Amino acid sequence: MNIHQNGGSSTHVIEPDRVELQDVSRYLEQPSKSYQPHVSRASPNIEAARSLENTSENNDPVENLPSPTTASERLERWNHPRMNLWRTLAAFGSFVVLGANDAAYGALIPYLQTYYNLTYTVVSLVFLSPLAGYTISALLNNTIHLKFGQRGVAFISPGCHLIAYIIIALHPPYPVLVVIFMIAGFGNGLADAAWNAWIGNMANPNEVLGFLHAFYGLGATLSPLIATTMITKGSRLPWYYFYYVMIAVAFLELTSSVWAFWGASGAIFRANNPRTTNTKDNRMKEALIRLPFARVTWICAMFLLGYVGVEVALGGWIVKFMLEVRDGAEFASGMTATGFWMGLTIGRIVLGFVTPKVGEKLAIAIYLPITMVFQLIFWLVPQFYVSAVVIAMQGFFLGPIFPAAIVAATKLLPRHLHVSAIGFAAAFGGSGAAIFPFADGAIAQAKGVQVLQPIILVLLGVILALWLGLPKIHKKQE
């Protein structure tokens, strides 16, 4: 059918040799509430014209493509289809391990320093070494999805954790320890990218991601508590005994993840997401190089880099700071790290329900200045108990920022870029757990651990400026 327009009118001319039968079955299947009595029998043609008009208005057809993470993503919830319940729980369990892994550094650094007789700078390599693993995971995330699907992530990430913890428990020479933390970093980065991208596209993403990252906070809360108790109380076990606990947890992560995601193979992923497999139109290249989406990807990646750097630097150096600057006892200083991560966990649950009502852009623009005020108090008021309370409050307001940033990215990026762009941003951001705590340690070696607090304050200001540079966020289409 050709449509010829003359001035304000249009004429429909049907050419006999080009007649095509239209499939109108979808109109018969519409629910009765959509029936409108005033529509004529020619309504299919009217609807076709409207469809042409709508298509011309949207000059970017890829915006309407399904997201590359699952086949029916717009309908998925954390408990529907039913297998998603088990997969969501497995992802939650994986994030417990991620949090325990990251928070253990802070509790163990004083004892690693003594055991291996290290300076601040050298012991800080345990923060820096996972950077290589995070970087590789950021680049390989999409490829692993294409070849092995989510099943591959469910096997590789916990497998890396298990191997790393077994070797660490053998307390090898320090250079070997540094290398092994790279393997753990790869496992962390891969799971971080995959499960953030998957859950970020579900219904109610702020709430579900809030719980996902709350489980990270749960692991980060328990980790220094268990490590500090094992080392300072009772029989005062050596630091590496803590990794026997981590071996058991990583084994549970491996079995639960592989069982839950066994059906999510690479073949299923490729069948459900043909756009992602198009080598002529590489998703990673589009996400990182082509404007305007590259701008969003890189701002989110740099924002998460700084945010994770703040989070892990605070949690990682708080014990050392409280011991040396606030003159705290060993156990009490270790508990301040637990208070920080507990505040983070509670904030992710509680504020996860507040953020979608306020909007991600405004919510983070509120949370960050409040965190900066608490950081200023932490720095300038030299009282142990004040510092202990304030660090927990910082955790509370920092908590919802990471999941809210992931949700914001899903709204700013087209659905076909979510695995590539959000996976890259999450894994790249995770490298902040390596870069900034290491830099803090190097500076502490020269100037003392007390200089860390103004550095954290400046870094909070930088990520606030980055966040305000994001485009306006429109409501996500469900």
Side-chain angles (χ1 to χ4, degrees):
M1 177 180 293
N2 293 337
I3 302 177
H4 301 285
Q5 294 192 353
N6 299 309
S9 63
S10 62
T11 307
H12 301 272
V13 180
I14 303 177
E15 298 177 8
D17 58 335
R18 298 179 61 186
V19 172
E20 296 183 12
L21 296 178
Q22 294 185 357
D23 180 8
V24 298
S25 61
R26 64 183 183 275
Y27 301 102
L28 300 176
E29 295 173 356
Q30 291 179 346
S32 59
K33 66 179 180 181
S34 64
Y35 173 70
Q36 298 177 350
H38 64 276
V39 177
S40 68
R41 293 180 181 178
S43 60
N45 291 333
I46 295 172
E47 292 297 328
R50 287 174 179 170
S51 177
L52 288 172
E53 182 181 356
N54 292 336
T55 302
S56 65
E57 290 176 356
N58 183 4
N59 55 12
D60 188 4
V62 296
E63 291 285 354
N64 295 323
L65 291 170
S67 171
T69 47
T70 53
S72 56
E73 206 156 21
R74 294 168 69 177
L75 301 177
E76 281 198 12
R77 305 182 70 87
W78 68 272
N79 58 353
H80 180 80
R82 185 169 179 80
M83 195 61 193
N84 273 6
L85 170 62
W86 304 111
R87 290 176 177 176
T88 301
L89 292 175
F92 287 174
S94 182
F95 264 60
V96 171
V97 181
L98 267 63
N101 181 88
D102 289 348
Y105 300 142
L108 296 177
I109 270 185
Y111 310 102
L112 286 173
Q113 192 173 13
T114 302
Y115 186 84
Y116 289 106
N117 193 24
L118 305 172
T119 64
Y120 280 139
T121 303
V122 176
V123 77
S124 296
L125 288 173
V126 300
F127 289 116
L128 186 62
S129 61
L131 176 61
Y134 276 109
T135 303
I136 295 170
S137 71
L139 298 176
L140 294 183
N141 172 55
N142 201 53
T143 301
I144 290 172
H145 273 81
L146 287 173
K147 290 188 176 182
F148 308 111
Q150 290 172 317
R151 177 201 294 175
V153 176
F155 179 80
I156 296 171
S157 174
C160 288
H161 288 150
L162 190 58
I163 292 170
Y165 300 151
I166 289 173
I167 298 174
I168 294 170
L170 298 175
H171 52 99
Y174 188 70
V176 176
L177 197 69
V178 170
V179 173
I180 294 306
F181 278 126
M182 296 180 187
I183 299 175
F186 179 78
N188 269 30
L190 189 60
D192 201 11
W195 307 147
N196 270 299
W198 178 56
I199 293 180
N201 283 287
M202 288 184 176
N204 304 314
N206 269 296
E207 291 86 341
V208 184
L209 276 174
F211 275 94
L212 177 72
H213 287 269
F215 276 90
Y216 175 97
L218 176 63
T221 301
L222 295 175
S223 177
L225 175 63
I226 294 170
T228 302
T229 302
M230 291 176 70
I231 296 169
T232 65
K233 299 292 184 181
S235 56
R236 300 179 71 90
L237 298 171
W239 64 269
Y240 49 84
Y241 271 57
F242 169 74
Y243 282 93
Y244 291 124
V245 177
M246 294 299 291
I247 290 170
V249 175
F251 179 76
L252 291 175
E253 179 196 14
L254 177 63
T255 54
S256 62
S257 296
V258 170
W259 177 81
F261 287 97
W262 185 256
S265 65
I268 290 176
F269 180 85
R270 292 191 301 272
N272 291 338
N273 307 287
R275 284 287 292 184
T276 309
T277 64
N278 189 348
T279 56
K280 294 182 180 179
D281 192 14
N282 186 272
R283 299 299 101 196
M284 184 64 76
K285 182 178 179 181
E286 184 175 356
L288 299 182
I289 298 175
R290 298 178 188 171
L291 294 174
F293 302 132
R295 173 193 171 194
V296 174
T297 302
W298 280 107
I299 289 179
C300 287
M302 296 302 294
F303 174 83
L304 293 178
L305 177 78
Y307 166 79
V308 175
V310 169
E311 177 186 286
V312 179
L314 278 172
W317 284 102
I318 181 63
V319 177
K320 195 72 175 176
F321 180 86
M322 298 298 271
L323 281 169
E324 296 193 1
V325 180
R326 296 291 186 257
D327 298 320
E330 283 188 348
F331 185 76
S333 297
M335 289 303 97
T336 58
T338 298
F340 171 76
W341 293 110
M342 185 177 294
L344 196 88
T345 304
I346 296 172
R348 283 173 172 169
I349 295 174
V350 174
L351 296 181
F353 291 92
V354 176
T355 300
K357 292 179 171 58
V358 177
E360 291 78 20
K361 187 77 178 284
L362 178 59
I364 292 181
I366 293 171
Y367 299 153
L368 280 174
I370 293 175
T371 305
M372 292 171 72
V373 171
F374 283 122
Q375 174 62 20
L376 198 61
I377 296 171
F378 183 79
W379 174 26
L380 297 178
V381 179
Q383 298 292 331
F384 181 91
Y385 293 108
V386 172
S387 297
V389 172
V390 167
I391 196 69
M393 294 305 299
Q394 281 185 271
F396 181 81
F397 286 101
L398 281 172
I401 291 178
F402 194 110
I406 295 295
V407 174
T410 66
K411 295 180 179 180
L412 289 169
L413 293 167
R415 300 176 71 86
H416 68 285
L417 291 183
H418 286 176
V419 161
S420 298
I422 297 174
F424 174 83
F428 184 85
S431 65
I435 295 173
F436 292 107
F438 171 77
D440 287 345
I443 294 170
Q445 177 65 34
K447 303 294 184 180
V449 74
Q450 68 273 7
V451 303
L452 303 181
Q453 306 317 317
I455 294 173
I456 296 294
L457 187 63
V458 170
L459 194 53
L460 286 167
V462 170
I463 64 174
L464 176 59
L466 282 170
W467 183 253
L468 296 177
L470 278 176
K472 183 179 179 181
I473 299 174
H474 298 286
K475 186 175 181 181
K476 184 177 179 181
Q477 298 297 319
E478 295 293 346

